Amino acid sequence: MSKKVFPVSQQQLEKIIEKYPTPFHIYDEKAIRLNMRRLFKAFAWAPGFREYYAVKALPNPRILQILREEGAGADCSSLPELILSEKAGITGERIMLTSNDTPADEFQKAIELGAIINLDDISHIEYLEQNAGLPKIMSFRYNPGSIVGGNDIIGKPEEAKYGLTRKQLFKAYKIMQQKGVGRFGLHTMVISNELNDNAFVATAKMMFKLAVDLKNQLGISLEFINLGGGIGIPYRPEEHEVNLEAVGQGIERVYKEILVPAGLDSTEIAFESGRAITGPYGYLVATVLHEKKTYKDYIGLDASMANLMRPGMYGAYHHIVVVGKEDKPCTKIYDITGSLCENCDKFAINRNLPEIQIGDRVVIFDTGAHGHSMGFNYNGKLRSAELLLREDGEVELIRRAETMTDYFATLTGFSGSIM
Ligand SMILES: *Cc1c(COP(=O)(O)O)cnc(C)c1O
């Protein structure tokens, strides 16, 4: 069971809303820091353990700074993400570029930063060399194909656009050796929002065996093996969180079983986890604007799918609490909606909740990853503010809400005046 408790009192929340109107996302600094420490502790046995935080999950430089202070690097997949990481003080090989269908300017920036480049395809070797030059250290993304099951979010590996096949992988490392590159890493990401501890150990096992094969066939001693992101979080209260300590121990076991006897005992383990680092420590706060009763009972919020896309896009569950009614019985069944002209704009369907009144504050849980960052402007919806609940209890604005001026700013060729 995962407890769903909003770390702000009702009274404090009303004070925050006086200054920053709803909707907004608010992130819990203390919890994020403690969680980051927990991951490092679970892998304290691993030489040079690294976490490259997946910037796309929560691309706010203030958050990246906090994570950097806790020892994290950054996993980037676009030019703005590289720049955000750089500005947050994450530099050199603490940045990993894991992108696909990569444009030249991303490669150029990664080379300029001295970041680790993780190539998604064998054809990208030539593209990289021509457009940006070759780095000193090279990593490749492995796609194991049908030997791994996949799931709804990430899909089946053989249907996934990412990574190189095993055969291509061996060829790619060989090409790089011939080109004089001497330092290597290996990467995969085959699971997403996975809650089963064993899945991570199984991935590690597959990758460690591959590392031994690479050593035997090509004489490569990998500097690091990046096991990707995909550590899940319990979105539903009845789900269990991943036991990071058990995952750490399980991976240690296969490390000693497979890598150490092969002489690969200094291979560093890396993750590029996003969701599991910040996901549970973000909350979308909204206000109830309307109640509509037709064939169903609808509660309309001032937030919409533009603020949190996961329920509409994946049918994902996000826990919802009505502030001040946490202990009231859930006697009602509601659809909780936003205002987009899309029927999938629902935060919850047929959700049991206490009786809701107009003006009630609603907290939607687990928005600290793939929440605000997946926001969009469809239907003229503006992206919300992001707040940080600091360790000292103060609330800091770390991104203001968009205004209509922002929304209109990119328009050209129109002869009238909009604002
Ligand atoms: C999205 C992504 C991640 C992060 O995934 P989480 O589910 O947030 O852990 C890591 N690596 C790559 C390559 C990704 O695409």
PDB file of all heavy atoms in Angstrom, residues 383-398:
ATOM      1  N   ARG A 383      -0.361  26.884 -20.020  1.00  0.00           N
ATOM      2  CA  ARG A 383       0.284  26.006 -19.031  1.00  0.00           C
ATOM      3  C   ARG A 383       0.379  26.704 -17.677  1.00  0.00           C
ATOM      4  O   ARG A 383       0.570  27.906 -17.591  1.00  0.00           O
ATOM      5  CB  ARG A 383       1.653  25.559 -19.528  1.00  0.00           C
ATOM      6  CG  ARG A 383       1.525  24.332 -20.424  1.00  0.00           C
ATOM      7  CD  ARG A 383       2.839  23.986 -21.074  1.00  0.00           C
ATOM      8  NE  ARG A 383       3.146  24.989 -22.068  1.00  0.00           N
ATOM      9  CZ  ARG A 383       3.429  24.730 -23.335  1.00  0.00           C
ATOM     10  NH1 ARG A 383       3.450  23.489 -23.762  1.00  0.00           N
ATOM     11  NH2 ARG A 383       3.697  25.697 -24.174  1.00  0.00           N
ATOM     12  N   SER A 384       0.265  25.910 -16.644  1.00  0.00           N
ATOM     13  CA  SER A 384       0.167  26.451 -15.285  1.00  0.00           C
ATOM     14  C   SER A 384       1.531  26.802 -14.709  1.00  0.00           C
ATOM     15  O   SER A 384       2.574  26.492 -15.291  1.00  0.00           O
ATOM     16  CB  SER A 384      -0.481  25.411 -14.376  1.00  0.00           C
ATOM     17  OG  SER A 384       0.477  24.431 -14.024  1.00  0.00           O
ATOM     18  N   ALA A 385       1.495  27.405 -13.549  1.00  0.00           N
ATOM     19  CA  ALA A 385       2.708  27.668 -12.777  1.00  0.00           C
ATOM     20  C   ALA A 385       3.219  26.376 -12.158  1.00  0.00           C
ATOM     21  O   ALA A 385       2.486  25.377 -12.054  1.00  0.00           O
ATOM     22  CB  ALA A 385       2.412  28.686 -11.680  1.00  0.00           C
ATOM     23  N   GLU A 386       4.505  26.406 -11.763  1.00  0.00           N
ATOM     24  CA  GLU A 386       5.099  25.334 -10.966  1.00  0.00           C
ATOM     25  C   GLU A 386       5.649  25.967  -9.690  1.00  0.00           C
ATOM     26  O   GLU A 386       6.350  26.993  -9.742  1.00  0.00           O
ATOM     27  CB  GLU A 386       6.246  24.659 -11.725  1.00  0.00           C
ATOM     28  CG  GLU A 386       5.810  23.879 -12.954  1.00  0.00           C
ATOM     29  CD  GLU A 386       6.995  23.206 -13.637  1.00  0.00           C
ATOM     30  OE1 GLU A 386       7.845  23.931 -14.210  1.00  0.00           O
ATOM     31  OE2 GLU A 386       7.086  21.967 -13.594  1.00  0.00           O
ATOM     32  N   LEU A 387       5.331  25.353  -8.569  1.00  0.00           N
ATOM     33  CA  LEU A 387       5.783  25.859  -7.272  1.00  0.00           C
ATOM     34  C   LEU A 387       6.669  24.817  -6.606  1.00  0.00           C
ATOM     35  O   LEU A 387       6.515  23.619  -6.835  1.00  0.00           O
ATOM     36  CB  LEU A 387       4.592  26.150  -6.353  1.00  0.00           C
ATOM     37  CG  LEU A 387       3.472  27.036  -6.885  1.00  0.00           C
ATOM     38  CD1 LEU A 387       2.373  27.182  -5.834  1.00  0.00           C
ATOM     39  CD2 LEU A 387       4.003  28.405  -7.272  1.00  0.00           C
ATOM     40  N   LEU A 388       7.569  25.323  -5.773  1.00  0.00           N
ATOM     41  CA  LEU A 388       8.417  24.426  -4.992  1.00  0.00           C
ATOM     42  C   LEU A 388       8.109  24.614  -3.512  1.00  0.00           C
ATOM     43  O   LEU A 388       8.199  25.733  -2.991  1.00  0.00           O
ATOM     44  CB  LEU A 388       9.902  24.747  -5.259  1.00  0.00           C
ATOM     45  CG  LEU A 388      10.901  23.852  -4.531  1.00  0.00           C
ATOM     46  CD1 LEU A 388      10.869  22.434  -5.082  1.00  0.00           C
ATOM     47  CD2 LEU A 388      12.320  24.442  -4.642  1.00  0.00           C
ATOM     48  N   LEU A 389       7.696  23.548  -2.864  1.00  0.00           N
ATOM     49  CA  LEU A 389       7.565  23.555  -1.409  1.00  0.00           C
ATOM     50  C   LEU A 389       8.952  23.250  -0.874  1.00  0.00           C
ATOM     51  O   LEU A 389       9.426  22.120  -0.972  1.00  0.00           O
ATOM     52  CB  LEU A 389       6.562  22.485  -0.957  1.00  0.00           C
ATOM     53  CG  LEU A 389       6.421  22.293   0.560  1.00  0.00           C
ATOM     54  CD1 LEU A 389       5.882  23.540   1.231  1.00  0.00           C
ATOM     55  CD2 LEU A 389       5.540  21.087   0.871  1.00  0.00           C
ATOM     56  N   ARG A 390       9.612  24.307  -0.379  1.00  0.00           N
ATOM     57  CA  ARG A 390      11.016  24.142   0.004  1.00  0.00           C
ATOM     58  C   ARG A 390      11.161  23.388   1.314  1.00  0.00           C
ATOM     59  O   ARG A 390      10.227  23.266   2.080  1.00  0.00           O
ATOM     60  CB  ARG A 390      11.677  25.525   0.116  1.00  0.00           C
ATOM     61  CG  ARG A 390      11.864  26.192  -1.225  1.00  0.00           C
ATOM     62  CD  ARG A 390      12.921  27.269  -1.197  1.00  0.00           C
ATOM     63  NE  ARG A 390      12.861  28.126  -0.034  1.00  0.00           N
ATOM     64  CZ  ARG A 390      12.896  29.464  -0.079  1.00  0.00           C
ATOM     65  NH1 ARG A 390      12.949  30.084  -1.245  1.00  0.00           N
ATOM     66  NH2 ARG A 390      12.873  30.167   1.027  1.00  0.00           N
ATOM     67  N   GLU A 391      12.386  22.968   1.551  1.00  0.00           N
ATOM     68  CA  GLU A 391      12.680  22.260   2.807  1.00  0.00           C
ATOM     69  C   GLU A 391      12.348  23.120   4.020  1.00  0.00           C
ATOM     70  O   GLU A 391      11.951  22.611   5.063  1.00  0.00           O
ATOM     71  CB  GLU A 391      14.167  21.888   2.852  1.00  0.00           C
ATOM     72  CG  GLU A 391      14.463  20.584   2.163  1.00  0.00           C
ATOM     73  CD  GLU A 391      15.899  20.149   2.389  1.00  0.00           C
ATOM     74  OE1 GLU A 391      16.815  20.930   2.050  1.00  0.00           O
ATOM     75  OE2 GLU A 391      16.102  19.046   2.901  1.00  0.00           O
ATOM     76  N   ASP A 392      12.526  24.444   3.876  1.00  0.00           N
ATOM     77  CA  ASP A 392      12.249  25.330   5.020  1.00  0.00           C
ATOM     78  C   ASP A 392      10.754  25.649   5.144  1.00  0.00           C
ATOM     79  O   ASP A 392      10.355  26.487   5.957  1.00  0.00           O
ATOM     80  CB  ASP A 392      13.077  26.616   4.922  1.00  0.00           C
ATOM     81  CG  ASP A 392      12.735  27.452   3.685  1.00  0.00           C
ATOM     82  OD1 ASP A 392      11.748  27.130   2.979  1.00  0.00           O
ATOM     83  OD2 ASP A 392      13.441  28.442   3.414  1.00  0.00           O
ATOM     84  N   GLY A 393       9.928  25.034   4.322  1.00  0.00           N
ATOM     85  CA  GLY A 393       8.482  25.221   4.423  1.00  0.00           C
ATOM     86  C   GLY A 393       7.945  26.375   3.580  1.00  0.00           C
ATOM     87  O   GLY A 393       6.737  26.505   3.390  1.00  0.00           O
ATOM     88  N   GLU A 394       8.853  27.218   3.059  1.00  0.00           N
ATOM     89  CA  GLU A 394       8.411  28.332   2.207  1.00  0.00           C
ATOM     90  C   GLU A 394       8.049  27.811   0.814  1.00  0.00           C
ATOM     91  O   GLU A 394       8.527  26.754   0.393  1.00  0.00           O
ATOM     92  CB  GLU A 394       9.534  29.368   2.057  1.00  0.00           C
ATOM     93  CG  GLU A 394       9.932  30.062   3.345  1.00  0.00           C
ATOM     94  CD  GLU A 394       8.807  30.917   3.915  1.00  0.00           C
ATOM     95  OE1 GLU A 394       8.177  31.666   3.136  1.00  0.00           O
ATOM     96  OE2 GLU A 394       8.541  30.819   5.138  1.00  0.00           O
ATOM     97  N   VAL A 395       7.202  28.568   0.133  1.00  0.00           N
ATOM     98  CA  VAL A 395       6.806  28.192  -1.220  1.00  0.00           C
ATOM     99  C   VAL A 395       7.445  29.155  -2.210  1.00  0.00           C
ATOM    100  O   VAL A 395       7.375  30.375  -2.043  1.00  0.00           O
ATOM    101  CB  VAL A 395       5.276  28.179  -1.364  1.00  0.00           C
ATOM    102  CG1 VAL A 395       4.867  28.033  -2.819  1.00  0.00           C
ATOM    103  CG2 VAL A 395       4.692  27.037  -0.540  1.00  0.00           C
ATOM    104  N   GLU A 396       8.081  28.587  -3.216  1.00  0.00           N
ATOM    105  CA  GLU A 396       8.814  29.395  -4.197  1.00  0.00           C
ATOM    106  C   GLU A 396       8.242  29.129  -5.585  1.00  0.00           C
ATOM    107  O   GLU A 396       8.001  27.981  -5.949  1.00  0.00           O
ATOM    108  CB  GLU A 396      10.288  28.939  -4.126  1.00  0.00           C
ATOM    109  CG  GLU A 396      11.227  29.659  -5.038  1.00  0.00           C
ATOM    110  CD  GLU A 396      12.643  29.046  -4.964  1.00  0.00           C
ATOM    111  OE1 GLU A 396      13.070  28.581  -3.881  1.00  0.00           O
ATOM    112  OE2 GLU A 396      13.291  29.003  -6.017  1.00  0.00           O
ATOM    113  N   LEU A 397       8.036  30.210  -6.322  1.00  0.00           N
ATOM    114  CA  LEU A 397       7.559  30.080  -7.704  1.00  0.00           C
ATOM    115  C   LEU A 397       8.747  29.692  -8.579  1.00  0.00           C
ATOM    116  O   LEU A 397       9.716  30.450  -8.666  1.00  0.00           O
ATOM    117  CB  LEU A 397       6.970  31.422  -8.165  1.00  0.00           C
ATOM    118  CG  LEU A 397       6.360  31.484  -9.558  1.00  0.00           C
ATOM    119  CD1 LEU A 397       5.074  30.664  -9.641  1.00  0.00           C
ATOM    120  CD2 LEU A 397       6.067  32.946  -9.953  1.00  0.00           C
ATOM    121  N   ILE A 398       8.694  28.536  -9.216  1.00  0.00           N
ATOM    122  CA  ILE A 398       9.831  28.128 -10.051  1.00  0.00           C
ATOM    123  C   ILE A 398       9.475  28.129 -11.541  1.00  0.00           C
ATOM    124  O   ILE A 398      10.315  27.849 -12.379  1.00  0.00           O
ATOM    125  CB  ILE A 398      10.422  26.764  -9.609  1.00  0.00           C
ATOM    126  CG1 ILE A 398       9.393  25.640  -9.676  1.00  0.00           C
ATOM    127  CG2 ILE A 398      11.016  26.861  -8.213  1.00  0.00           C
ATOM    128  CD1 ILE A 398      10.000  24.254  -9.454  1.00  0.00           C
TER     129      ILE A 398
END
